[in-house]
Amino acid sequence: MFELVQRIEIDAPGGRASGVAAVPADHPALLDHFPDRPLLPGTWCLELAAQIAGPLVEEALGDGRFAVLAMVQRARFIAPVELPTTVHIEAVITRREPSTTVVETTVFRGGLLRARAELVFAHVGGATPAAIAARDTRLARWKVG
């Protein structure tokens, strides 16, 4: 699903990020998902939110550790998101501990709130150089978006 994020802007010192993702109605993984009324699955809303919030946490940490989604808390789906769609995602760090960071995320479509969730990220070290390079390449592409 990484190819769905088009752009990300990160303000690490301010603890905020925003991003845009586009989901086509004919994505291969969605072909049999609500065939009469194509909708974005809630799990995809959460995944896209995590893809915006994770890089925010990593840049805020600033020490090379990865942010791995560990828990979803208080997820609320306000309204369905019809496909195809472009969603705007906001992420704000609300709490940082030595081993975890909590991020409040919101998903909007057409300026209207569609979903919100509190995501908890674990801080994980020891990544291989190849994993770090892949992350950095993906993030550079999203920042240019």
Side-chain angles (χ1 to χ4, degrees):
M1 285 198 346
F2 289 112
E3 72 276 4
L4 301 178
V5 172
Q6 295 183 323
R7 185 177 70 246
I8 186 170
E9 296 175 17
I10 299 173
D11 172 14
R16 305 180 75 80
S18 63
V20 174
V23 183
D26 64 350
H27 190 286
L30 298 174
L31 293 179
D32 63 347
H33 199 80
F34 304 114
D36 294 331
R37 185 177 177 206
L39 298 175
L40 182 67
T43 55
W44 282 42
C45 279
L46 294 173
E47 174 64 25
L48 293 169
Q51 289 182 23
I52 300 303
L56 166 62
V57 172
E58 291 169 352
E59 287 198 15
L61 289 171
D63 60 7
R65 289 183 287 173
F66 277 80
V68 177
L69 182 62
M71 185 184 316
V72 176
Q73 299 184 133
R74 290 182 275 288
R76 225 175 119 209
F77 300 96
I78 300 6
V81 178
E82 295 181 354
L83 295 174
T85 192
T86 298
V87 292
H88 181 84
I89 300 159
E90 299 287 333
V92 178
I93 293 174
T94 57
R95 189 173 69 245
R96 194 160 129 190
E97 305 287 335
S99 61
T100 61
T101 298
V102 179
V103 181
E104 179 70 32
T105 61
T106 50
V107 178
F108 298 90
R109 178 180 188 233
L112 300 174
L113 179 64
R114 300 305 176 119
R116 70 171 6 124
E118 191 176 76
L119 306 180
V120 180
F121 289 88
H123 309 156
V124 179
T128 67
I132 293 169
R135 174 191 63 190
D136 292 347
T137 299
R138 180 178 65 247
L139 192 54
R141 187 175 64 247
W142 290 352
K143 285 184 175 181
V144 170

